[in-house]
Amino acid sequence: MDFLPLFTDLKQRHCLVVGGGSVALRKARLLAKAGARVNVVALEIQAELTQLVSDSGGALFQQAYGAERLDNIFLVIAATDDRELNKQVSADCHARNIPVNVVDDPELCSFILPAIVDRSPLMIAISSGGASPVLARLIRSRLESSIPSAFGRLASLVGSFRDKVKNRFDDIEDRRDFWEQTLQGPIAEMVFAGKDQTAAEMLQQAIDKADVRPGGEVYLIGAGPGDPDLMTFKAMRLLQRADVVLYDRLVAPEIVELSRKDAERVYVGKARANHAVPQNDINQLLVDYALQGKKVARLKGGDPFIFGRGGEEIERLAELHIPFQVVPGITAAAGCASYSGIPLTHRDYAQSVRFVTGHLKDGSLNLPWGELVHPQQTVVFYMGLVGLPDICAQLIQHGRAEDTPIALIQQGTTQHQKVVTGTLGTMVSIIADNPVQAPTLIIVGEVVELREKLAWYEQGDLSKPIL
């Protein structure tokens, strides 16, 4: 994080704009809208800017800039086309510890101005840290179209009832639960429909009838194979509601960061022969947190019901009648295959696909090998890296040809993805010279041969046509 986002109260504070042109006018408008008293210093000043200064209660100095103009100033914006002058303003402000923004020159800034979505009192600021203001504005445009102006009225309604809710609920978590339910239910819909008075009456009734201690709930969330963009909308929504987040080793750090900043985060990852928290203890943690009235997100890599032990984790919850929701995720097989350009099924090569664990509960590889050697079937092995020599040998022994294509996909869908291809007969020696690390997915079948045609984008050659 290059800049810490802050919202500053500028009401009745004297702020200085250095410059008198159109850029200075835009910045001055922003300051005036926030309630600042706008002071301007420049040799030439537009008439509209002169009027704005007068209306804000600020002062106008039609003269060359001098450091004395910084006396009793809270914040400064340098908006001239003279970089040497801008550098001088920046240096003077830094010497006096006055926050300064130099338009289009992040190196000279101690703060930057974001693109803003104004739904007062709700404010949304978007910033690229000065790297790409155009990108920030594009994102603002998307948000503008997706966030109705009614959100401002909703925020005002909530603000008018904050004290009543605080008096009704002593515990901050109870208040948060109440507001989360309110802001996602019929009261909010009344505001969006323009029925603010009805919404206020409903909110008062909800406060009077509310349970002081809402029950806990568990969200079993499939986080997908790694790329945060593969999370579902429901997964994102529930993750950001959670008070506690229990997450696996295979969940990308970027996904964990999407949870609320005040949420408690508990690592319960498991690697081969190294379980940070035993599975039974994880099951009990879900119960314990839920019985405390907390909303618990259980983040699991891939899909929780495909080699994710999700069934075991909700079994105890069901016995105790603790509410839970299961959110499916894109399983590693689908995600890694897609990002590697390997279709799991293809009319000419594979009419079925089979998902198999390469690491049984007892550590053995006692699999139904005879069922896994059909020539028109794709087989995907989860957790099979350690057992790779055995997998290749058993498939060959049970009838698969040694030249059957095979792919190993390391850290699939992430920026660290690595794909190694070969055959059942050659793969063990290939990775001896080109090691791969867990987590790794193994795909066996003729569909692997299609990778050369379908994964051209990995090399960044955008000149080739899409097949």
Side-chain angles (χ1 to χ4, degrees):
M1 182 186 294
D2 295 326
F3 291 86
L4 177 67
L6 298 172
F7 290 85
T8 303
D9 184 1
L10 296 182
K11 294 182 183 66
Q12 298 303 307
R13 294 184 182 272
H14 283 275
C15 298
L16 178 67
V17 176
V18 182
S22 58
V23 176
L25 176 60
R26 290 202 306 270
K27 303 306 179 183
R29 284 175 181 157
L30 194 62
L31 297 174
K33 192 173 183 180
R37 294 189 176 189
V38 182
N39 298 348
V40 172
V41 58
L43 291 174
E44 296 182 9
I45 303 174
Q46 290 185 2
E48 188 177 349
L49 183 53
T50 299
Q51 185 61 50
L52 183 147
V53 170
S54 176
D55 292 344
S56 73
L60 196 68
F61 303 95
Q62 193 160 355
Q63 60 189 61
Y65 163 80
E68 68 277 4
R69 294 277 69 89
L70 300 179
D71 293 344
N72 301 314
I73 293 296
F74 179 74
L75 176 149
V76 175
I77 296 178
T80 80
D81 56 5
D82 183 341
R83 192 168 195 271
E84 290 305 314
L85 175 56
N86 290 342
K87 288 175 67 175
Q88 185 60 54
V89 174
S90 175
D92 292 343
C93 289
H94 280 87
R96 297 186 180 211
N97 292 319
I98 298 174
V100 60
N101 173 268
V102 179
V103 177
D104 288 336
D105 205 335
E107 292 181 2
L108 300 180
C109 297
S110 61
F111 77 94
I112 56 178
L113 292 171
I116 296 171
V117 178
D118 186 354
R119 299 290 184 266
S120 295
L122 178 67
M123 302 292 292
I124 303 171
I126 307 104
S127 173
S128 64
S132 178
V134 173
L135 177 60
R137 288 197 295 271
L138 289 173
I139 294 173
R140 178 188 63 188
S141 297
R142 293 189 181 186
L143 292 176
E144 288 274 11
S145 62
S146 62
I147 301 175
S149 60
F151 272 92
R153 303 202 318 276
L154 180 60
S156 296
L157 176 65
V158 168
S160 67
F161 278 84
R162 282 193 68 190
D163 288 342
K164 292 183 179 180
V165 172
K166 190 172 183 179
N167 292 334
R168 181 70 175 85
F169 302 100
D170 294 330
D171 187 84
I172 188 171
E173 291 187 4
D174 293 342
R175 293 198 294 271
R176 184 170 60 215
D177 288 338
F178 174 82
W179 283 124
E180 285 181 351
Q181 294 175 33
T182 298
L183 294 173
Q184 299 180 80
I187 294 173
E189 294 300 327
M190 285 294 104
V191 175
F192 297 151
K195 301 177 181 179
D196 293 26
Q197 183 58 42
T198 302
E201 294 169 0
M202 292 172 63
L203 182 51
Q204 183 61 62
Q205 293 173 8
I207 294 170
D208 294 338
K209 297 178 180 179
D211 293 328
V212 174
R213 179 70 265 178
E217 187 176 10
V218 175
Y219 313 129
L220 190 61
I221 298 174
D227 185 346
D229 287 348
L230 296 180
M231 292 269 285
T232 66
F233 287 124
K234 185 173 184 179
M236 288 287 294
R237 177 169 57 82
L238 294 182
L239 174 59
Q240 292 173 358
R241 289 184 63 187
D243 306 302
V244 183
V245 179
L246 278 65
Y247 62 97
D248 275 351
R249 178 177 64 94
L250 298 181
V251 176
E254 296 88 350
I255 292 176
V256 179
E257 284 298 318
L258 294 173
S259 61
R260 282 201 329 245
K261 299 306 178 188
D262 61 338
E264 180 181 353
R265 300 174 184 180
V266 182
Y267 175 68
V268 292
K270 298 188 289 292
R272 185 182 179 93
N274 181 18
H275 293 193
V277 180
Q279 186 62 52
N280 288 338
D281 291 352
I282 296 174
N283 302 345
Q284 190 59 45
L285 277 174
L286 298 176
V287 170
D288 293 342
Y289 280 121
L291 292 178
Q292 294 172 26
K294 297 187 177 186
K295 291 181 172 60
V296 187
R298 174 67 173 105
L299 273 178
K300 303 184 72 65
D303 182 279
F305 278 5
I306 299 181
F307 303 124
R309 305 187 72 171
E312 299 174 46
E313 297 188 356
I314 64 173
E315 204 169 347
R316 181 65 173 157
L317 300 173
E319 290 175 0
L320 297 175
H321 302 289
I322 294 173
F324 62 85
Q325 298 184 50
V326 179
V327 184
I330 293 178
T331 187
C336 296
S338 296
Y339 276 52
S340 302
I342 301 174
L344 293 178
T345 62
H346 190 285
R347 187 168 58 181
D348 297 330
Y349 299 97
Q351 287 74 56
S352 65
V353 58
R354 187 144 179 181
F355 298 165
V356 184
T357 177
H359 176 64
L360 297 181
K361 186 176 181 180
D362 61 2
S364 71
L365 266 177
N366 185 22
L367 298 173
W369 298 107
E371 301 174 12
L372 304 181
V373 295
H374 193 285
Q376 292 184 304
Q377 171 181 259
T378 303
V379 183
V380 180
F381 290 88
Y382 286 68
M383 301 168 287
L385 181 59
V386 172
L388 177 67
D390 236 354
I391 290 172
C392 293
Q394 289 286 356
L395 289 175
I396 293 171
Q397 180 180 332
H398 284 81
R400 260 306 206 169
E402 289 191 22
D403 62 357
T404 300
I406 179 174
L408 270 63
I409 306 169
Q410 172 185 297
Q411 294 180 281
T413 79
T414 74
Q415 61 181 336
H416 304 295
Q417 175 173 298
K418 175 181 177 180
V419 182
V420 179
T421 59
T423 67
L424 291 179
T426 61
M427 181 55 78
V428 174
S429 60
I430 288 174
I431 67 167
D433 299 325
N434 186 18
V436 296
Q437 299 175 343
T440 300
L441 195 82
I442 302 172
I443 301 178
V444 179
E446 276 67 22
V447 290
V448 173
E449 292 183 337
L450 295 170
R451 169 177 157 75
E452 186 175 344
K453 292 182 178 180
L454 303 182
W456 58 267
Y457 53 81
E458 285 193 341
Q459 284 73 45
D461 185 358
L462 303 183
S463 64
K464 294 184 180 180
I466 297 176
L467 300 177

